[in-house]
Every structure is written in structure tokens, then in C-alpha cells.
Amino acid sequence: MAALDPPAPPVPPSPAADAVGSAPGVPLRRLLLAVGDPLLDVLAAPGGLDVRVDDVVILDPEDEGGPHAGDLVLLVGARGRAAGRLVRAAGRRGASAVAVKVGGPAEADVLRGVAGDAGVALLAVHPEARWEQLQWLFRSMVDDARLAVGGDPGEAPGDLSALAQTVATLTGGLVSIEDAASRVLAYSGGEDADELRRLSVLGRRGPEQYLALLREWGVFQRLRSGEEVVRVEEHPELGIRRRIAVGIHAGAQPLGAIWVQEGGTPLEPHAEEALLGAARIATLHLLRQRTEATAGLRLREDLLASLLEGRIEAAALADSVRADRDRPVMVVVFAMAAGESRTAGGRSEAELQRAQLTNLISVHAAAFRRRALVTTLGGRVYALLPDLARPAAEASVLALTRRIVGAARALLGGTVQGAVGSLVDTLGEVARSRTEADRVLDAMGRDLAMDVATISDVRSRVLVSETLAELRSNPRLRDPRVDLLVAHDAAHGSALVVSLVAYLEAFGDVRAAAARLHIHPNTLRYRVRRAEAVSGLDLRDPNERLFTHLQLLLARRL
């Protein structure tokens, strides 16, 4: 009988890695919710954010060992090629995520590609963050299984009171938001309250005698059963005016309801649609209150901003919002006209208006698509609309944008513009839709007197506008002869510039251009000859005609 081999000695902990936690199975998402901004930024998440972290290790570039499957690896002191090699090795060994301090945008792009190829999440650590601080935070998370789990913390700007006031504006009624026990959580201002609303607001809860009637009429049962907008007809004898209501749900769990009482005027035509969107936004508020998932709201907003800027893969966001990565998506951008901002209570008026605009857009977007997301970047508000269906997607999004702009102008009393990006096939192409929406909005702000536009509506005008912007920013691209003509008009009060523009836009058709200017054709002929004489331009040369036209358009808009 052969002798048995002696049992292998236990493998000692690797000196190359400092293990700092042993509680298994914490989703990466939870770590980001607890730590996140401003310490970390997600650069890559090829496996989504629900990959599980079993352990946290600190790894030095000089160490010979390596991480294991499920580890979150903190790369201390790694830069450049060394960081890339370690990220690749961590992915090969099955690590869940790698955290590293990145030297700059170029290095971030390289490491993002390495992480994507290796199938490992990549977290960029803020340069000023201390590794021991991150170690302590992650250790607390991995060792502590008591962290509350949020439902679906999505975009939920503002608070319930602001939401109630926004819904009141959109519906034209008196709004109250209640929890599942009919306690009043928030309500809008306004006159013409009926007895039911008056007693509910005063007592912070629906009065029992009225609640019994609503139960008897089956209102609560319908509110709890789904997303149906429930109508309650007027009962003057009971002190009840007409109202509509919708339930607030998290999956099959009822959280409360939003009520809209009709005042002295009928509700707005789109009141029910606005109410449906508001209920979806209110769900996020109530979940946030229940789970204290404020960090979750910020995380998803940051992920959306990263996706719009092309800094992260679509997998991370699709994992967060349950959107189908392979269905068409569009981006719409909104902005208020630039103006002086006054301060109010420590915040600028522009900030307060932007918060109102974000709330309003969120309500409309949530009514349009359950998984819609809204965020702000650089003073603009972006709405991502996923899971769209061809061929009617652009028309429906354009109609939505017009409704939002109209409602925003009524609410804010100022100029609001909306630009619709092109439809892209997948969530991974969303940065392209965002770029086109920005191009349209840039042109609208500079040159186009339009409320709403798509790139297909104004493509040629956008291209001309961008060309003029380039001319505006680069004096080397100016023809001094055109400047001479503009200066002559300014000095003599003549109309050579406007006459020459009309002539060029009419392709040299003197009669058409003269009719447009309401002058005799001979007068226009004289002005064109005079313009050539003053400037030295030769309009027989097609290149000079083209560039003269562009620079004259620029001169008119400066």
C-alpha cells in the first residue's frame, strides 16, 4: 500500500497584499453609494455595478503576489505602465474592481481601455484622497452587512414640497402628496380648497369620515392596484370638489398617493399625464426617505453625466436603471437664456430656476418613459430617454420637448430652449446624441430664434452657425476687405452690407434681391458696384463670393 502524501501546509497570507476585510458579497454599488464622490469616479464597469466584493486588498507595484477573485484592489503608488500591468493582472485573476490614482485624462483613457479588455471595474481615486481613508471606509462596508439596501434610487431632484408645487403648475390644481397611511407629506399653495383638502392640510392627515367615503367608493383600492389615474367626481353636499389622484408604488408595494383638487378653473388638458410622471418621481423621493439613499441619487446622476461625456461604458448605467442597452435612445438638452443672476437666500436666482426646471423636466420625462433620467451639466439640463421604438421616436420626443419648453416658459417666465439629439441605436452611443443636441442648442443660442429644434431640422444652419463661430474666434480667418466695407457703412450710414448680403443670398438675381429690400433693381446694381469699389472685392470670383457672404453674415450678428 502506497504511503499517503503528507497534507500540504496552509498557504500563509501573501505579504504582497494587505487584506483589510473578510465579509463576503458586498455589491460594488454599495461601496460607491457609501464612498463615491468626491473620493471616487467610475471610469469603467464592464460587468456592471452589481459585481460582488468579497475582500479589499492594498497592492503595491513592487509586490510579487496578486489579488484573488472577488477582491477590490487598491493600487498604491502605481502609475502609467505599472498601473496598466496591474489592472490587467487583477482582471486576469478575477478581481471585481481596481482603484487607482490617475495621472491625467490621457492615462485615464488608457487605463479605461485596459480595464474594459480585462473585464474589471476601474475606479479613479481623487489625487488628494488618502489611501488609509479609503481603506477604512471600504473595510467598514465589507465588514458591515447592516447597510440598508435602496429600492431604485433614481433621479429625484428637489424635495416633495417643490415637486408638489411643480405638479400644481402643470395640472392647474391644488396638490397634496400623502403616504400610504394618508398622512400629508407635502402640499402646494393655492386658494379654493374644499373641505376635504382644508381638513387634511390642517390635520396633516385625511379626516376619517372622508377616508371612509373614499374606501367605500373603491378609490383606495384602485390607487393601490396600479398606475391608474383615479377620478373622484364632485360632491358639493359633502364639501368635495372634483379631483384626480394616482398611487405611488415601488414595484407592487404602495407607498402613497398624489391628489390634485380642481380649483376655480378646470384642470389642464395634460394634467393626468403630468400626474403619472409626478408619481414616478415621488416614488424615488419616498424610497430615499425610507432608505436614506441620498448617495444613491448622486451616484446615478454622476453615472449619467459620465455616460453623456463618454467617460464610462453603457453597462454601468444600464445596470443602474435597468434600461435595455440594445434599444434606441435619445438625449434632449434644455437651457434658460443667459442673464444676470440675483441672490436669494444664499443661492443665485439662476440656480433656483434651474432646480425648478429640472423638477419640471423630470416629471414630464418620467411620464414619457419610466426609465428616463435627468441630470445637469454645465448649467444645462439633460434628459436621457431610453427604450424608444422606431419609426415614431423622433416625433414623439419632439412633441414631449415642445410640451416641456411651453410648460417651463409658463412656470419660469423666461426664455427656455430645447434641442433634441439624433436617435442612436444603443445606450453605448448616447454621447453622440448628446453632442448633436448640444450643437443644436449652441446654434439656437447664437443665431436661431427657435424654441425647439432637432439636428435634422436645422443641420445646414447649425453648420453655418458653427462656421461663423470659428470665424468669430479666429481673427486670422478674416478678410480685411470685408472689414473695410463694414467700417464704411458704419462711418457713412450707407446700406452696402445689407444690400450685398441680399444680392448673394439671391444668387445674383438682382430683381429678387431688390424686391426683398423694397428698392429699385438699378439701385441695387449701383450698391453692389459701390461695395466692390469700396472694398476691392471681386464678386466674379466664386471663392471671394463664398467667403464674403460668410463674413458679412458674421458682421451682421456681432
Side-chain angles (χ1 to χ4, degrees):
M1 183 174 175
L4 296 175
D5 292 333
V11 178
S14 169
D18 178 17
V20 291
S22 58
V26 178
L28 178 61
R29 179 189 309 279
R30 286 205 208 171
L31 298 179
L32 295 173
L33 293 179
V35 180
D37 182 78
L39 296 181
L40 294 173
D41 188 20
V42 181
L43 291 186
L49 296 180
D50 283 330
V51 294
R52 305 188 76 79
V53 174
D54 298 326
D55 200 358
V56 181
V57 297
I58 293 180
L59 187 63
D60 187 275
E62 301 302 321
D63 290 335
E64 297 180 357
H68 299 86
D71 283 350
L72 166 60
V73 183
L74 310 183
L75 293 185
V76 177
R79 290 289 190 276
R81 292 183 178 178
R85 174 176 55 82
L86 292 171
V87 169
R88 189 176 292 107
R92 188 167 56 246
R93 288 173 172 261
S96 297
V98 177
V100 61
K101 291 187 178 181
V102 179
E107 185 177 329
D109 289 340
V110 172
L111 291 179
R112 184 185 293 113
V114 171
D117 293 340
V120 62
L122 181 65
L123 311 177
V125 179
H126 191 280
E128 302 302 321
R130 300 196 312 273
W131 284 111
E132 59 269 27
Q133 178 187 18
L134 279 180
Q135 174 187 358
W136 181 86
L137 290 169
F138 285 139
R139 171 185 290 165
S140 299
M141 291 299 302
V142 174
D143 288 343
D144 189 355
R146 295 175 298 170
L147 183 69
V149 179
D152 182 21
E155 170 70 32
D159 53 27
L160 283 178
S161 296
L163 180 62
Q165 196 60 51
T166 297
V167 178
T169 301
L170 295 176
T171 61
L174 307 177
V175 176
S176 61
I177 302 175
E178 301 178 2
D179 65 11
S182 297
R183 290 186 292 261
V184 177
L185 304 175
Y187 58 94
S188 67
E191 301 177 353
D192 299 319
D194 63 11
E195 190 68 1
L196 172 55
R197 176 179 172 84
R198 189 182 68 83
L199 294 176
S200 298
V201 170
L202 289 175
R204 305 299 292 180
R205 188 179 188 277
E208 188 53 42
Q209 66 270 29
Y210 286 99
L211 298 181
L213 286 173
L214 294 173
R215 281 193 291 268
E216 180 181 334
W217 297 338
V219 173
F220 286 124
Q221 181 179 355
R222 294 167 65 190
L223 289 175
R224 293 190 177 102
S225 64
E227 281 192 320
E228 173 189 7
V229 175
V230 179
R231 301 170 187 82
V232 179
E233 296 303 325
E234 185 176 21
H235 293 273
E237 73 281 6
L238 300 174
I240 297 177
R241 289 190 176 183
R242 178 176 176 268
R243 55 188 10 93
I244 57 176
V246 68
I248 304 170
H249 300 87
Q253 176 67 35
L255 301 178
I258 304 180
W259 297 83
V260 181
Q261 179 218 302
E262 192 175 72
T265 58
L267 298 179
E268 294 291 337
H270 295 287
E272 293 190 4
E273 182 182 5
L275 189 58
L276 181 62
R280 294 171 181 173
I281 297 297
T283 297
L284 307 175
H285 282 289
L286 296 184
L287 284 175
R288 181 177 62 183
Q289 290 182 358
R290 286 188 171 195
T291 63
E292 298 183 349
T294 305
L297 304 177
R298 179 63 180 271
L299 171 63
R300 206 160 96 174
E301 180 177 323
D302 288 346
L303 288 174
L304 174 56
S306 297
L307 183 68
L308 291 174
E309 293 178 333
R311 295 187 289 106
I312 194 172
E313 295 91 343
L317 188 65
D319 176 67
S320 297
V321 303
R322 305 295 186 259
D324 190 334
R325 279 179 280 174
D326 298 319
R327 292 194 63 188
V329 61
M330 294 180 81
V331 173
V332 185
V333 59
F334 301 88
M336 298 177 292
E340 295 184 2
S341 57
R342 299 181 297 275
T343 58
R347 299 178 62 188
S348 73
E349 183 178 327
E351 289 176 324
L352 295 173
Q353 287 185 323
R354 193 175 302 118
Q356 289 179 293
L357 179 62
T358 303
N359 242 336
L360 183 145
I361 294 168
S362 298
V363 168
H364 279 280
F368 181 77
R369 282 292 182 277
R370 175 184 293 278
R371 297 181 175 115
L373 286 177
V374 176
T375 191
T376 58
L377 279 172
R380 293 180 170 183
V381 184
Y382 294 85
L384 183 146
L385 305 172
D387 300 337
L388 300 177
R390 297 179 186 272
E394 183 174 299
S396 60
V397 171
L398 191 57
L400 170 69
T401 305
R402 289 196 178 101
R403 287 201 301 274
I404 291 175
V405 167
R409 289 190 168 200
L411 173 64
L412 302 175
T415 300
V416 177
Q417 293 177 310
V420 181
S422 59
L423 183 71
V424 293
D425 292 328
T426 67
L427 198 60
E429 301 172 86
V430 74
R432 179 160 64 86
S433 182
R434 181 258 173 125
T435 297
E436 291 201 346
D438 276 334
R439 291 175 63 198
V440 175
L441 192 61
D442 287 341
M444 293 169 70
R446 286 192 300 261
D447 307 303
L448 306 181
M450 306 177 70
D451 296 341
V452 175
T454 69
I455 188 69
S456 58
D457 289 333
V458 294
R459 189 180 301 274
S460 61
R461 296 167 71 180
V462 167
L463 293 175
V464 170
S465 179
E466 291 176 348
T467 302
L468 295 181
E470 183 65 22
L471 289 177
R472 187 181 292 118
S473 64
N474 192 343
R476 293 190 306 106
L477 298 178
R478 307 281 183 81
D479 187 332
R481 295 174 297 176
V482 179
D483 290 336
L484 186 63
L485 183 62
V486 173
H488 179 276
D489 264 4
H492 298 85
S494 52
L496 300 184
V497 168
V498 67
S499 300
L500 192 51
V501 169
Y503 173 77
L504 293 171
E505 289 182 346
F507 300 100
D509 186 332
V510 173
R511 292 189 177 278
R516 175 180 167 186
L517 295 173
H518 305 291
I519 62 177
H520 194 278
N522 287 339
T523 302
L524 181 60
R525 290 188 182 96
Y526 167 78
R527 290 181 181 178
V528 171
R529 290 195 300 269
R530 180 63 178 157
E532 287 183 297
V534 167
S535 64
L537 291 165
D538 181 4
L539 297 180
R540 294 171 300 178
D541 185 330
N543 291 322
E544 290 200 16
R545 285 200 308 270
L546 172 62
F547 201 81
T548 296
H549 192 184
L550 285 172
Q551 195 167 328
L552 288 176
L553 290 177
L554 175 62
R556 290 200 312 179
R557 298 174 188 185
L558 288 176

